[in-house]
């Protein structure tokens, strides 16, 4: 299942977004700009941080990843991480998806901004990320990566929790 929503503009649309994300389905948020076009699945970037949340969103995204011409993993602040034994990464390779890994440092910047900047720099047409790792209420109060991405992204976002 894929739910397609515009970027939330008011509280009602934010409620719809949260309901869709927490329904354990993949959610595609389209930016308001026409720059998204139709080729947003050609080069897909994945905000990569090993764990259950990313595992789930990647597995839900497999139909998209299989048709992508290029897949890039953006690992923020994971310079010393060893991904060679990561289950989902191995599954991607076994299914014929050969991702490129780019390690980037946030260097004090907000992670959401860093992900978007790098996705733009490499020419990704969309970004896949796990949503609300710290929980919806915590992010609403303190901010967080999901909130940054939804508010700022000018490329399509695929999200799941």
């Amino acid at each position: 299942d894929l739910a397609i929503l515009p970027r939330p503009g008011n509280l009602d649309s934010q409620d719809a977004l949260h309901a869709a994300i927490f329904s354990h389905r993949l959610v595609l948020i389209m930016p308001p700009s026409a720059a998204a076009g139709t080729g947003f699945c050609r080069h897909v970037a994945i905000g990569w941080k090993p764990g259950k949340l990313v595992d789930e969103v990647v597995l839900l995204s497999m139909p998209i990843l299989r048709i992508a011409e290029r897949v890039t993993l953006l690992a923020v602040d994971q310079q010393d991480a060893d991904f060679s034994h990561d289950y989902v990464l191995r599954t991607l390779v076994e299914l014929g998806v050969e991702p490129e890994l780019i390690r980037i440092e946030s260097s004090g910047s907000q992670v959401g901004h860093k992900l978007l900047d790098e996705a733009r720099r490499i020419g990704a047409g969309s970004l896949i990320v796990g949503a609300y790792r710290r929980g919806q209420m915590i992010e609403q109060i303190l901010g967080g990566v999901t909130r940054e991405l939804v508010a700022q992204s000018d490329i399509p976002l695929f999200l799941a929790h």
Side-chain angles (χ1 to χ4, degrees):
D1 289 350
L2 177 66
I4 302 172
L5 300 170
R7 178 185 296 156
N10 58 39
L11 288 176
D12 289 338
S13 59
Q14 286 179 354
D15 289 345
L17 171 63
H18 296 150
I21 287 173
F22 286 96
S23 69
H24 303 287
R25 73 178 55 179
L26 191 61
V27 176
L28 170 60
I29 300 176
M30 294 301 291
S33 69
T38 58
F40 61 90
C41 290
R42 283 192 200 116
H43 181 188
V44 179
I46 302 171
W48 192 262
K49 188 169 192 171
K52 185 178 179 186
L53 192 56
V54 171
D55 291 355
E56 183 173 333
V57 72
V58 168
L59 292 174
L60 287 170
S61 302
M62 282 308 297
I64 292 144
L65 297 172
R66 284 188 185 131
I67 64 169
E69 296 169 9
R70 182 175 171 202
V71 175
T72 305
L73 306 180
L74 304 177
V76 179
D77 296 332
Q78 300 289 312
Q79 278 61 23
D80 299 324
D82 176 12
F83 297 116
S84 62
H85 301 292
D86 187 273
Y87 167 75
V88 172
L89 188 53
R90 282 193 330 240
T91 302
L92 285 171
V93 172
E94 288 171 7
L95 293 172
V97 177
E98 296 282 342
E100 172 189 357
L101 174 62
I102 297 177
R103 296 174 192 261
I104 52 179
E105 291 185 46
S106 62
S107 303
S109 300
Q110 293 178 318
V111 172
H113 290 213
K114 201 69 170 178
L115 284 169
L116 286 173
D117 288 346
E118 189 65 19
R120 284 186 210 103
R121 187 190 71 74
I122 64 172
S126 58
L127 178 63
I128 295 173
V129 292
Y132 297 112
R133 180 178 62 89
R134 295 187 300 175
Q136 176 184 347
M137 288 301 287
I138 299 287
E139 286 209 12
Q140 290 296 346
I141 296 167
L142 301 176
V145 175
T146 306
R147 187 172 164 188
E148 290 170 30
L149 290 171
V150 169
Q152 302 295 323
S153 185
D154 55 355
I155 61 174
L157 294 174
F158 290 95
L159 305 170
H161 179 82

